[in-house]
Amino acid sequence: GDRITSCVCCNRASPASFTWKNSFENKTSTMVNVPKERKTYCAGKCKKHAVHKVTQYKAGKASNFAQGKRRYDSKQMGFGGQTKPIFHKKAKTTRKVVLRLECKKCKTKKHLCLKRTKHFELGVKAAASGHQY
């Protein structure tokens, strides 16, 4: 069967086939398909399980009058070039998906965070394999 080795950090037994790379690949899904409706607990007025409409969360337009933006703009004014670092070294190939659930009865909204994934689909029907007739 499987050869057992001990873990480097805590001396617990782990199968020989285990590697950190494999463990990371298992945690990140290649394709996630979520239905457009979902029955889950509503913490609003309902206080029970109800049907929720599922959409993907998207951040809103950044305001020009937020404190950080005002501070950044005033620091950039005048001579002296770029004053704060601009991030270029993008390393991640996956994104964390956030779902926005809206109760169909009381319209209460809540967010639900999913694990990292490369591809995300909302309510796509799986194509039937094989012959169609």
Side-chain angles (χ1 to χ4, degrees):
D2 240 2
R3 199 173 83 242
I4 303 291
T5 59
S6 64
C7 179
V8 180
C9 60
C10 58
N11 262 352
R12 266 190 276 147
S14 64
S17 60
F18 176 85
T19 62
W20 284 111
K21 185 173 184 273
N22 292 349
S23 137
F24 179 73
E25 285 170 359
N26 292 342
K27 284 181 184 167
T28 59
S29 310
T30 49
M31 175 82 77
V32 175
N33 189 1
V34 177
K36 287 188 178 178
E37 282 188 350
R38 175 183 188 146
K39 190 172 184 181
T40 186
Y41 182 75
C42 174
K45 291 175 187 164
C46 302
K47 297 274 188 248
K48 61 184 181 184
H49 277 69
V51 178
H52 285 68
K53 188 174 88 174
V54 180
T55 52
Q56 190 174 1
Y57 167 77
K58 184 176 174 284
K61 186 175 176 282
S63 165
N64 276 335
F65 302 106
Q67 179 57 62
K69 178 70 171 146
R70 284 180 285 154
R71 185 184 294 118
Y72 176 75
D73 289 342
S74 81
K75 194 173 183 182
Q76 286 287 88
M77 276 195 300
F79 299 110
Q82 181 66 36
T83 58
K84 290 180 83 58
I86 298 175
F87 184 71
H88 293 297
K89 296 182 180 178
K90 184 176 178 292
K92 300 269 189 282
T93 58
T94 58
R95 311 195 85 160
K96 286 182 180 178
V97 178
V98 179
L99 300 181
R100 183 170 173 271
L101 306 174
E102 183 182 343
C103 178
K104 289 205 156 188
K105 267 189 187 168
C106 67
K107 305 288 185 236
T108 301
K109 291 138 191 108
K110 70 175 180 180
H111 289 174
L112 179 69
C113 187
L114 300 182
K115 289 182 180 175
R116 290 187 168 275
T117 179
K118 287 189 178 181
H119 302 288
F120 175 76
E121 293 179 339
L122 199 59
V124 179
K125 296 273 189 278
S129 59
H131 290 292
Q132 307 299 315
Y133 46 94

